[in-house]
Amino acid sequence: MLTPVVDDDGAPFWEYAARGELRIQACADCGELRFPPRPCCPHCRSFATEWRRVAGRGRVWSYVRPHPPLLPDYAEQAPYHVVLVELTDAPRIRLVGNLVSGPDARLDSVPAERIRIGARVQVVFTSTGLPQWVLERP
Amino acid sequence: MAVLKDATAIVGIGQTPFAKRLPESERALACRAILAALDDAGIAPDEVDALASYTMEETDEVEVAKALGLGDLTFFSKVGYGGGGSCATVAHLAAAIATGQATVGVAWRSRKRGSGPRPWKNTAVQLPTPAQWTRPYGLLRPADEIAMLARRHMHEYGTTRDHLFNVALACRNRANQNPAAIMYERPLTREMYMNSRWISEPLCLFDNCLETDGALACVVVSAERARDCRRTPVYVHSAAQGLPAQHHGMVNYWNDDPLTGPAWTAARHLWKHADLTPDDIDVAQIYDAFTALIPLSLEGYGFCARGEGGAFTEGGALETGGRLPLNTSGGGLSEAYVHGFNLITEGVRQLRGTSTAQVPGAATCLVTAGEGVPTSALLLRN
């Protein structure tokens, strides 16, 4: 499987995720959240940043089901579900992830008929520190 | 922009055959397409003093100029963002010529993706750092990235697979009239579309463009010079690039409004500096790496209101004789996928009156580049 190739701006996200925390970059001056992480606030141009913990709840904004041809590890689990989750406490922050039945479950572990736009989901973390999503009401 | 309006014209177009596999190198194909375009224009290679292509073009200016015996170059430009760069290559040449930096410009694209490696078979190319937010989750290919927007558009506006089929069918029907098209003599039916395999739900096989080997080129000169050329000049009436504020490339999911992509930005500039409105457009060549880009582009370029891009395709609107005949060579979906350059050359043929699917009396044509990525567009007129 592909593991994130981290850059300086993104590194804190993955360090927090490895500890089981979902944190989003925020401007330490004006407080605006931003994603993906970047060195400067596009609202007030401050370089001061902080990492704000979010509740890890959201709703499915959209989703796709990729089929092969895919990289071998992914082809083996296809079709699976890639979701775009809009965070409840940060509505314009949307995170790509997978809808799975549990923290280290296969990418295709939730039946297709359970997925819909608007479904409430909650973050879980894999053993490698990747945020994933489970249905709030499985 | 007043400087640019109708100040330059495309006077030559050229292309190689399109095929799944061609024996020659990208460099050789580039040279053949450029020579064909210059011959079409009746301009000698040593008169060329400007070149423009894409950043993803492997054949660089030095190679082309040396191999073809071009003159001293005083302008050269490469445009980024893959298929988003197609129309900007012409726009850059038009700007250079209109401002006196050059006199004869050639734009080209050569590509061997038909026989080249499939990027999703190669782990290394999957791992640029911006991909840290998407690829680990198996959102691997452009089709997956656009399918996310397509699903949302369907959910929000009632766009259907039949709407996407209308797009695929219009392109295929036109390719069936075009002997140069990969899909010449290969008709598409609704049954074939609906029963085809998924690539990334909700996009199926026929929602995806053809990976093709081939090269194309065009020649741009001043309007004054164009009057002495062999062919009817096709004027560059308006041109624009578009990279919206807070845009994030193809996975523009973190924007306030991911369903309004770069087309909207390019369109505002394009129409603002034109004597034309969407109602005045006779034929359109709209970038179609995926069918789902068409509804988004129809909305962005103002042919319909937001959310109506799917419904716009109904009733044969995109077919010959319809409200907006689309991709009349077959487009990326059914002629050839050469990063959209074939849409430019087909726009020129329509305004010359030489298309294999000619729109009678076509006098205006919109050509667009890749939507979803930083893009570009041209308004052409005769």
Side-chain angles (χ1 to χ4, degrees):
Chain A
M1 304 295 281
L2 298 174
T3 52
V5 174
V6 172
D7 59 4
D8 288 349
D9 296 314
F13 178 94
W14 298 110
E15 286 158 17
Y16 286 118
R19 286 188 249 150
E21 291 181 19
L22 189 64
R23 288 184 184 251
I24 302 295
Q25 190 187 34
C27 176
D29 282 320
C30 77
E32 284 277 345
L33 291 168
R34 63 181 188 261
F35 189 88
R38 290 206 170 86
C40 179
C41 173
H43 305 281
C44 74
R45 281 82 189 184
S46 165
F47 283 73
T49 63
E50 59 186 30
W51 285 81
R52 198 172 304 162
R53 191 156 187 180
V54 291
R57 295 181 123 82
R59 285 173 180 269
V60 174
W61 188 86
S62 189
Y63 63 97
V64 301
R65 278 168 56 83
H67 293 244
L70 293 158
L71 292 173
D73 289 345
Y74 293 88
E76 192 270 319
Q77 300 184 53
Y80 49 87
H81 314 110
V82 188
V83 292
L84 187 60
V85 174
E86 190 158 63
L87 297 180
T88 306
D89 44 5
R92 283 171 298 171
I93 306 292
R94 304 181 189 97
L95 300 177
V96 175
N98 301 111
L99 190 67
V100 289
S101 62
D104 281 309
R106 283 173 58 96
L107 300 185
D108 62 353
S109 55
V110 173
E113 60 272 18
R114 298 301 319 276
I115 297 180
R116 61 177 180 82
I117 288 179
R120 290 175 189 276
V121 293
Q122 190 161 0
V123 75
V124 292
F125 294 88
T126 68
S127 50
T128 59
L130 203 62
Q132 293 286 32
W133 301 88
V134 297
L135 288 165
E136 260 190 22
R137 284 173 298 193
Chain B
M1 192 71 183
V3 172
L4 199 63
K5 190 191 291 181
D6 302 326
T8 61
I10 300 175
V11 293
I13 53 174
Q15 67 191 45
T16 66
F18 303 130
K20 193 79 181 165
R21 296 194 198 308
L22 292 173
E24 289 191 307
S25 68
E26 284 185 350
R27 193 191 303 183
L29 295 173
C31 290
R32 288 191 187 282
I34 292 169
L35 285 180
L38 286 165
D39 182 57
D40 187 51
I43 292 177
D46 62 7
E47 285 194 69
V48 174
D49 56 7
L51 292 176
S53 195
Y54 305 52
T55 56
M56 290 183 179
E57 172 60 43
E58 300 285 325
T59 308
D60 73 22
E61 300 94 337
V62 170
E63 296 295 337
V64 166
K66 200 174 173 71
L68 298 182
L70 304 186
D72 290 343
L73 298 187
T74 56
F75 181 90
F76 31 95
S77 171
K78 286 196 164 182
V79 187
Y81 306 104
S86 59
C87 292
T89 61
V90 172
H92 287 201
L93 292 177
I97 292 165
T99 55
Q101 297 178 78
T103 57
V104 176
V106 170
W108 85 94
R109 182 76 173 107
S110 177
R111 209 162 181 262
K112 289 193 73 172
R113 274 286 286 278
S115 56
R118 285 290 199 264
W120 52 87
K121 297 253 181 190
N122 179 345
T123 305
V125 302
Q126 296 289 339
L127 293 170
T129 51
Q132 66 190 298
W133 314 109
T134 55
R135 300 271 166 86
Y137 302 104
L139 195 78
L140 300 174
R141 306 159 300 183
D144 305 316
E145 296 169 344
I146 293 299
M148 194 73 87
L149 298 177
R151 171 93 67 188
R152 182 70 192 188
H153 200 273
M154 290 170 153
H155 171 80
E156 239 177 271
Y157 300 121
T159 306
T160 64
R161 292 193 67 213
D162 266 303
H163 292 142
L164 301 185
F165 166 65
N166 290 340
V167 172
L169 182 67
C171 291
R172 184 61 67 88
N173 286 344
R174 299 297 82 73
N176 292 161
Q177 297 172 254
N178 174 12
I182 302 260
M183 292 297 177
Y184 182 57
E185 293 183 327
R186 294 177 69 180
L188 177 69
T189 65
R190 185 174 182 279
E191 190 186 8
M192 286 164 68
Y193 177 91
M194 291 297 172
N195 293 332
S196 72
R197 64 185 170 87
W198 293 115
I199 300 297
S200 192
E201 295 174 56
L203 301 183
C204 71
L205 179 66
F206 295 111
D207 292 311
N208 289 261
C209 61
L210 309 162
E211 292 290 5
T212 311
D213 286 7
L216 301 106
C218 73
V219 181
V220 183
V221 298
S222 71
E224 192 180 10
R225 171 77 186 265
R227 285 192 280 274
D228 300 327
C229 286
R230 198 177 271 171
R231 298 287 202 164
T232 311
V234 170
Y235 294 99
V236 178
H237 181 66
S238 181
Q241 291 185 268
L243 196 172
Q246 292 298 306
H247 178 66
H248 191 88
M250 195 108 99
V251 285
N252 188 34
Y253 306 150
W254 305 288
N255 213 339
D256 285 359
D257 190 356
L259 293 182
T260 59
W264 293 71
T265 300
R268 276 192 292 273
H269 186 89
L270 198 70
W271 297 122
K272 182 178 170 188
H273 296 283
D275 299 337
L276 307 167
T277 71
D279 282 343
D280 300 317
I281 297 304
D282 297 325
V283 57
Q285 316 296 336
I286 297 181
Y287 196 91
D288 58 345
F290 307 103
T291 54
L293 296 180
I294 301 300
L296 293 169
S297 297
L298 290 169
E299 295 170 18
Y301 286 98
F303 291 100
C304 59
R306 179 163 181 180
E308 293 176 0
F312 186 96
T313 69
E314 293 170 2
L318 306 180
E319 303 284 340
T320 305
R323 157 75 188 88
L324 190 70
L326 180 80
N327 298 2
T328 44
S329 66
L333 288 163
S334 278
E335 183 189 32
Y337 183 64
V338 198
H339 256 163
F341 210 98
N342 55 323
L343 301 175
I344 299 171
T345 52
E346 174 60 12
V348 170
R349 284 191 294 262
Q350 279 289 345
L351 301 183
R352 288 176 171 183
T354 60
S355 170
T356 53
Q358 185 61 42
V359 173
T364 57
C365 180
L366 169 72
V367 186
T368 76
E371 169 58 348
V373 292
T375 193
S376 52
L378 295 169
L379 282 177
L380 303 177
R381 72 185 310 174
N382 62 16

